[in-house]
């Protein structure tokens, strides 16, 4: 086997990455512990984005390692259709205790993308089970990211994620996004823009309420740069959905499990959806897993519509509720509970947000948005969109920081267990690198 230097000819196709240039000098992470990664040269890098919003409890938690290795010895796999295992029930029960209101039925999947597609199917089936099968349209939003499967791509509002892949699901309607110049540099929820939710009413007026199954939104749009909902916006979406029998779905894949300072963004904003998707921090990134939380009435309507003994929902994945993922999920939920992780995030958030908004002093910063332990910092584009962003990833990496950059927007989402000194280091590096971008 040739173990020469990495080059373009390598076999691994790296996702969402410019492969040819990346492979000339790949940013390889070879070890992780706590708040840090180590690169191939043995240098330590602070993780400013919890892996990819997953490792909210820091890397390498021994409790999760023990739970997963114990599970592998005990039960490596159990068929998820027509059979199950106790940990699937236990994890569902634990999640039901932290999800809002009566979103207390859990369907397990393996990723955020699968959670979104599953939620779309549940919405369709719910209406069908109540004799409203003509409700087939989905409403979503510009600048949304709902994963990469065909359902999620249809819902997505990011042109590069859509344009190459055909027309997607017919009848998908996009609300306007919620970025407004008048909210620039507004901490938390901006004052302006609640009326953008009225786009949903316009779709109802144009297409008829009876054609719309569900409205999907990320309570805070994550992947397009942390767009915090304007004050009153989510409330208004909720009202319009209620008025017209439309299900409201919150995609909490990024915002779930303490990122906003409460268990879910739904709690932080005081708006309860009908379905909620989650993934990422559910297992602290240790084993892939996602889930859809479903209101009890929706579960009961669907299961009640099928004859006793018949399968109610023709859907599921070979790895739904995988025993190793359940073990990681249970261990993660225990840490959330026992260490008061959501409260801890809430305590750390003001200090984090203060440092984020102080970055405004850099001339190339065009806007800053943030909530909880989540922030987006727009940089002035260079010659072409994304050029400065790409340069930023490398410069931060060289300076010892792993960040997420989308276009020319820097995204910060440190682990919820970060200590104040980690934040100091993080912002010291951001400040320093910002002057050289
Ligand atoms: C809001 C949202 N939904 C869905 C997804 C897709 O999740 P996954 O990459 O696990 O498929 C993501 C990923 O970032 C996301 O942010």
């Amino acid at each position: 086997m040739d173990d020469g230097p990495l080059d373009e000819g390598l076999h691994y196709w790296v996702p969402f990455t410019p492969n040819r240039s990346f492979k000339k000098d790949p940013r390889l992470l070879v070890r992780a512990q706590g708040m840090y990664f180590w690169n191939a040269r043995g240098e330590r890098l602070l993780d400013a984005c919890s892996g990819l919003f997953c490792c909210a409890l820091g890397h390498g938690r021994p409790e999760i390692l023990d739970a997963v290795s114990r599970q592998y010895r005990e039960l490596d796999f159990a068929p998820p259709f027509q059979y199950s295992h106790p940990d699937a029930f236990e994890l569902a029960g634990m999640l039901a205790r932290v999800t809002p209101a009566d979103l207390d039925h859990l369907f397990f999947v393996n990723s955020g993308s699968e959670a979104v597609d599953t939620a779309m199917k549940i919405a369709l089936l719910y209406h069908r089970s109540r004799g409203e099968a003509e409700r087939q349209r989905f409403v979503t939003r510009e600048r949304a990211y709902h994963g990469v499967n065909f359902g999620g791509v249809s819902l997505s509002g990011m042109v590069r994620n859509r344009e190459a892949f055909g027309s997607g699901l017919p009848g998908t309607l996009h609300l306007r996004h919620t970025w407004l110049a008048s909210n620039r540099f507004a901490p938390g929820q901006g004052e302006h823009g609640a009326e953008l939710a009225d786009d949903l009413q316009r779709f109802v007026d144009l297409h008829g309420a009876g054609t719309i199954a569900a409205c999907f939104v990320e309570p805070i749009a994550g992947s397009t740069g942390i767009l915090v909902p304007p004050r009153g916006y989510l409330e208004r979406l909720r009202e319009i959905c209620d008025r017209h029998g439309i299900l409201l779905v919150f995609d909490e894949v990024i915002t779930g499990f303490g990122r906003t300072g409460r268990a879910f963004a739904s709690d932080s904003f005081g708006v309860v959806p009908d379905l909620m998707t989650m993934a990422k921090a559910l297992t602290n990134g240790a084993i892939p897993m996602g889930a859809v939380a479903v209101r009890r009435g929706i579960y009961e309507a669907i299961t009640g519509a099928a004859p006793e003994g018949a399968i109610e929902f023709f859907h599921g994945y070979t790895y739904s509720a995988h025993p190793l993922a359940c073990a990681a999920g249970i261990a993660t939920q225990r840490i959330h509970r026992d260490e008061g992780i959501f409260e801890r995030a809430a305590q750390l958030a003001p200090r984090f947000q203060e440092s984020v908004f102080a970055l405004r002093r850099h001339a190339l910063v065009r806007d800053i948005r943030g909530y909880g332990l989540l922030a987006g910092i727009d940089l002035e584009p260079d010659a072409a969109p994304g050029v400065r962003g790409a340069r930023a990833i490398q410069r931060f990496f060289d300076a010892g920081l792993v960040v997420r950059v989308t276009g020319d927007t820097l995204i910060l989402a440190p682990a919820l267990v970060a200590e104040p000194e980690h934040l100091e280091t993080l912002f010291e590096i951001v400040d320093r690198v910002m002057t050289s971008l």
Side-chain angles (χ1 to χ4, degrees):
M1 187 173 151
D2 177 13
D3 55 356
L6 295 171
D7 64 25
E8 263 190 30
L10 272 193
H11 304 289
Y12 177 43
W13 192 338
V14 192
F16 275 123
T17 295
N19 274 252
R20 286 165 300 162
S21 58
F22 181 82
K23 287 172 183 172
K24 288 179 191 146
D25 184 17
R27 288 180 289 274
L28 299 185
L29 302 166
V30 300
R31 190 160 86 82
Q33 188 60 46
M35 291 295 297
Y36 295 97
F37 284 113
W38 279 261
N39 68 17
R41 289 195 299 273
E43 294 156 349
R44 199 175 74 162
L45 299 101
L46 183 64
D47 180 2
C49 219
S50 307
L52 196 53
F53 313 101
C54 325
C55 308
L57 304 174
H59 296 276
R61 294 290 303 224
E63 304 91 326
I64 300 175
L65 168 66
D66 290 348
V68 171
S69 58
R70 211 179 313 120
Q71 183 76 295
Y72 189 72
R73 267 183 248 116
E74 191 73 21
L75 181 71
D76 63 340
F77 183 81
F81 313 152
Q82 314 279 11
Y83 300 88
S84 190
H85 61 95
D87 284 357
F89 287 83
E90 182 173 347
L91 179 58
M94 291 178 95
L95 293 175
R97 280 194 281 281
V98 290
T99 47
D102 63 347
L103 280 111
D104 58 5
H105 284 70
L106 279 299
F107 195 100
F108 288 117
V109 300
N110 307 289
S111 66
S113 299
E114 289 181 2
V116 167
D117 281 34
T118 300
M120 294 172 79
K121 285 189 177 176
I122 292 173
L124 292 174
L125 188 55
Y126 168 69
H127 291 302
R128 188 183 174 89
S129 70
R130 294 163 55 254
E132 293 192 37
E134 63 284 6
R135 283 188 185 265
Q136 296 195 0
R137 288 182 193 276
F138 291 102
V139 175
T140 167
R141 197 165 55 186
E142 297 167 351
R143 295 186 68 167
Y145 182 71
H146 294 294
V148 291
N149 291 346
F150 268 95
V153 165
S154 300
L155 298 188
S156 127
M158 297 171 73
V159 62
R160 302 308 307 274
N161 290 7
R162 300 168 56 87
E163 63 188 349
F165 307 120
S167 47
L169 283 181
T172 305
L173 306 165
H174 286 70
L175 307 163
R176 280 172 293 169
H177 63 72
T178 60
W179 188 88
L180 287 176
S182 50
N183 286 331
R184 273 176 73 223
F185 294 109
Q189 295 188 266
E191 291 301 326
H192 308 281
E195 68 285 355
L196 289 166
D198 294 338
D199 285 1
L200 179 56
Q201 182 61 50
R202 294 179 60 181
F203 294 148
V204 168
D205 295 342
L206 184 63
H207 300 285
T211 68
I212 301 176
C215 173
F216 277 70
V217 288
E218 302 157 85
I220 297 174
S223 296
T224 56
I226 316 303
L227 308 183
V228 181
R231 249 176 238 289
Y233 173 88
L234 294 176
E235 291 86 336
R236 211 182 285 196
L237 276 186
R238 179 71 271 180
E239 278 165 31
I240 299 169
C241 285
D242 284 345
R243 212 179 306 138
H244 300 293
I246 298 166
L247 297 182
L248 180 61
V249 187
F250 279 179
D251 186 345
E252 296 236 20
V253 165
I254 286 180
T255 50
F257 301 107
R259 181 60 53 196
T260 61
R262 300 283 301 275
F264 292 93
S266 161
D267 303 304
S268 294
F269 298 132
V271 177
V272 179
D274 299 300
L275 301 170
M276 201 166 77
T277 53
M278 58 188 92
K280 294 196 186 276
L282 169 55
T283 58
N284 204 43
I287 307 274
M289 186 178 225
V292 184
V294 181
R295 287 191 103 146
R296 197 175 310 157
I298 294 175
Y299 170 83
E300 285 169 357
I302 290 174
T303 52
E308 184 66 34
I311 293 172
E312 301 106 347
F313 185 22
F314 282 83
H315 180 72
Y317 301 92
T318 299
Y319 296 129
S320 281
H322 191 286
L324 299 190
C326 288
I330 291 168
T332 301
Q333 300 313 312
R334 284 204 182 116
I335 299 171
H336 288 162
R337 185 191 61 201
D338 297 347
E339 296 185 11
I341 293 295
F342 308 154
E343 295 75 16
R344 190 181 163 144
Q347 276 164 16
L348 197 60
R351 179 192 290 248
F352 172 74
Q353 292 296 333
E354 195 183 311
S355 305
V356 165
F357 278 86
L359 296 170
R360 184 177 182 172
R361 65 178 173 277
H362 292 280
L364 53 81
V365 172
R366 285 284 152 264
D367 187 19
I368 300 179
R369 300 164 298 277
Y371 199 96
L373 289 180
L374 198 52
I377 299 134
D378 290 349
L379 306 179
E380 174 82 30
D382 201 343
V387 170
R388 195 187 298 277
R391 192 159 64 229
I393 298 176
Q394 187 61 47
R395 295 259 165 94
F396 281 119
F397 190 77
D398 294 341
L401 201 67
V402 175
V403 296
R404 169 122 184 84
V405 173
T406 175
D408 291 303
T409 301
L410 173 63
I411 295 179
L412 300 176
L416 312 185
V417 295
E419 297 288 348
E421 53 269 27
H422 295 124
L423 296 188
E424 265 166 43
T425 308
L426 191 163
F427 286 104
E428 185 268 312
I429 299 175
V430 171
D431 250 334
R432 185 155 37 87
V433 172
M434 202 77 100
T435 55
S436 71
L437 290 179

